[in-house]
Amino acid sequence: MSDINPWALGVFIVFFAATIIIGSSIQVIRRLLRSHSHGSNAQEEWGLGGRGFGPWVTWFLVGGDFYTAYTVIAVPALVYAVGAYGFFALPYTIIVYPFIFLVMPKLWKIAHDGGHSTAADIVRARFNSRPLEVIVALTGLVAVMPYIALQLIGIRTVVQSLGLPGDLPLIIAFLSLAAYTWMGGLHAPALTAFIKDIMIYIAVLVAVTVIPMHTGGYAALFSNVAPHEAVLKAGQGLPYATLALSSALAAFLYPHTLTGILASRSADTIRQNAVYLPVYTIVLGLIAMLGYMAHAAGIVTTNNSLVVPMLFQKVFPAWFAGFCLAAIAVGALVPAAVMAIGAANLVTSNLLPAQSNPVMASRITAFIVKVGALLCVLFLNAKFAIDLQLLGGVIILQTFPALILGLTRLRLSTASMLTGWVVGSVVGLGLCWMDGLKPIHPINFGFVSGNVSTGLLSLGVNIVVVLAISLLRPGRVHAPVAQAVSSEAA
């Protein structure tokens, strides 16, 4: 891994740099074609793409959120290390699509009718509460940092596997993400998502065809997997199921995924995407299989994040390995940019006073968010890279009652939401800290015992507190949200 192959490195640089240049050029061209403007329209253009993305762009943008470093680096690494347990990502993505179909069009309509650009805007309209708006915005901001950190780890891992020494891979990862987001806005990742997904499709389809041919076929592949790793072990069923459910509930609460939804042209665009997005899950299953393929190819490493890059470099010729590694890096770069933009939208819309140049404020905020993600990489010592994403899930799930239950006609009070958020956050983060950043916690309630998703556990506590306080002191549904929910239901 310490030798630099010029062919692999050269091809990687060409495709990775081309993505950054193309993405940045798109926004420059758009600015030249439009009149120069400062204010809400310019901010909406930079942060939400002008709310004009149709079915195809939305499909690549929203679906691309599942093709991050989480997918291509972290999931195969977990399968390589622990076996079938790592496949919990598949049912999670299956569960989330009906959730998108049923819930997200309602959120889109509320946001469209009210001119809202973030989850905190929607919560403010529902509860008419500035403190709750700030809490939701801060939660989204903090939750997305570990997720961006996972993308930085993905880019760093790829660059490191190419043989570049020391801290240089992390520096390259940070600077490339900062430059790409600063210059491009949301149009850059939205349109270069086409390039990213095509590159990943090519890399994965070639991998699942060629690698088994080098290792004796799929029969030999599974025979190289220890029997206890091919199926769930005793006691893994409960954490497997609860991690899948909590991940599904958290997936579209993040600022970046909600940004993709709110940037859509219409509610029907979101429904169409919910129908066709399961195509991504098929490829996700193939990507997870790379963890087993690494065993069959004789890959041995204590750094699980390097499993897929090592596999590609061992099996493929140098030039194609460089292409595949570029696909992984671009697969981390594009969604990380959306994450930073989503976080910036929260800060400029819900935390800062009105700015004379909101686009510049958003760019600076997005840069600060990426610095926070860099600190997560340096100081959060997670055993698996995937734990960073799951830690973000524990945090963002605490906004579920305010954002999703707030869509119902239940008379939930602001006090209940604030109290539930505090209790749920303390429980979730406290358990994570006690368990060494592991995303599961052992419970024993008599009727159920075993390891359970910490995010789901803390969300359950949050909801119980919300419902208990609301029964004692009911709130009310404010007119704008009530009308939007009623009309959407009709």
Side-chain angles (χ1 to χ4, degrees), residues 155-299:
I155 301 173
R156 180 189 68 179
T157 299
V158 167
V159 177
Q160 181 183 353
S161 72
L162 287 166
L164 298 186
D167 294 328
L168 186 59
L170 185 58
I171 294 171
I172 292 173
F174 177 78
L175 293 179
S176 61
L177 175 59
Y180 181 74
T181 310
W182 183 280
M183 294 184 290
L186 190 62
H187 280 287
L191 299 180
T192 52
F194 289 91
I195 301 172
K196 179 202 75 162
D197 285 356
I198 290 172
M199 290 176 67
I200 290 180
Y201 286 147
I202 293 172
V204 171
L205 293 177
V206 171
V208 298
T209 303
V210 173
I211 294 176
M213 293 171 59
H214 280 261
T215 56
Y218 276 93
L221 185 153
F222 284 106
S223 67
N224 277 281
V225 178
H228 66 277
E229 293 182 350
V231 296
L232 291 177
K233 303 174 187 176
Q236 287 186 336
L238 186 59
Y240 180 94
T242 55
L243 280 175
L245 181 57
S246 63
S247 297
L249 294 177
F252 278 82
L253 302 178
Y254 284 104
H256 62 286
T257 46
L258 199 57
T259 294
I261 292 294
L262 299 185
S264 301
R265 183 181 300 158
S266 67
D268 283 339
T269 296
I270 299 167
R271 293 189 186 94
Q272 291 171 18
N273 274 269
V275 172
Y276 296 115
L277 280 171
V279 173
Y280 277 98
T281 302
I282 298 173
V283 183
L284 175 58
L286 298 176
I287 292 173
M289 289 286 292
L290 295 175
Y292 284 158
M293 293 180 189
H295 281 294
I299 299 297

Side-chain angles (χ1 to χ4, degrees), residues 86-414:
F87 280 87
F88 80 87
L90 269 71
Y92 135 51
T93 56
I94 294 170
I95 294 169
V96 80
Y97 298 131
F99 180 79
I100 297 172
F101 188 90
L102 294 172
V103 175
M104 291 300 126
K106 296 181 181 181
L107 283 177
W108 181 91
K109 181 168 179 56
I110 293 169
H112 181 266
D113 292 348
H116 308 315
S117 58
T118 67
D121 286 343
I122 297 171
V123 169
R124 181 188 61 221
R126 165 64 169 85
F127 294 98
N128 195 27
S129 169
R130 173 62 177 167
L132 191 56
E133 174 193 1
V134 171
I135 286 295
V136 170
L138 288 173
T139 303
L141 184 63
V142 173
V144 83
M145 287 186 186
Y147 215 158
I148 298 175
L150 175 55
Q151 313 314 313
L152 289 175
I153 288 174
I155 301 173
R156 180 189 68 179
T157 299
V158 167
V159 177
Q160 181 183 353
S161 72
L162 287 166
L164 298 186
D167 294 328
L168 186 59
L170 185 58
I171 294 171
I172 292 173
F174 177 78
L175 293 179
S176 61
L177 175 59
Y180 181 74
T181 310
W182 183 280
M183 294 184 290
L186 190 62
H187 280 287
L191 299 180
T192 52
F194 289 91
I195 301 172
K196 179 202 75 162
D197 285 356
I198 290 172
M199 290 176 67
I200 290 180
Y201 286 147
I202 293 172
V204 171
L205 293 177
V206 171
V208 298
T209 303
V210 173
I211 294 176
M213 293 171 59
H214 280 261
T215 56
Y218 276 93
L221 185 153
F222 284 106
S223 67
N224 277 281
V225 178
H228 66 277
E229 293 182 350
V231 296
L232 291 177
K233 303 174 187 176
Q236 287 186 336
L238 186 59
Y240 180 94
T242 55
L243 280 175
L245 181 57
S246 63
S247 297
L249 294 177
F252 278 82
L253 302 178
Y254 284 104
H256 62 286
T257 46
L258 199 57
T259 294
I261 292 294
L262 299 185
S264 301
R265 183 181 300 158
S266 67
D268 283 339
T269 296
I270 299 167
R271 293 189 186 94
Q272 291 171 18
N273 274 269
V275 172
Y276 296 115
L277 280 171
V279 173
Y280 277 98
T281 302
I282 298 173
V283 183
L284 175 58
L286 298 176
I287 292 173
M289 289 286 292
L290 295 175
Y292 284 158
M293 293 180 189
H295 281 294
I299 299 297
V300 178
T301 179
T302 56
N303 184 351
N304 296 318
S305 295
L306 284 171
V307 165
V308 173
M310 290 177 67
L311 176 64
F312 286 165
Q313 288 180 304
K314 180 173 182 177
V315 175
F316 295 140
W319 67 269
F320 191 70
F323 172 84
C324 293
L325 295 177
I328 296 173
V330 172
L333 181 71
V334 172
V338 183
M339 293 172 194
I341 291 167
N345 288 343
L346 283 172
V347 174
T348 54
S349 297
N350 306 109
L351 298 179
L352 295 179
Q355 303 290 308
S356 59
N357 188 346
V359 174
M360 181 57 66
S362 293
R363 284 173 168 161
I364 295 172
T365 302
F367 180 80
I368 295 172
V369 169
K370 290 188 282 286
V371 172
L374 181 63
L375 295 177
C376 290
V377 175
L378 296 174
F379 297 108
L380 288 182
N381 187 23
K383 181 178 180 181
F384 295 104
I386 200 171
D387 289 343
L388 291 173
Q389 186 266 347
L390 295 171
L391 175 63
V394 173
I395 298 169
I396 200 65
L397 273 171
Q398 307 316 313
T399 65
F400 184 93
L403 186 61
I404 305 304
L405 295 185
L407 293 174
T408 69
R409 301 287 298 181
L410 295 173
R411 299 181 64 190
L412 304 173
S413 66
T414 300

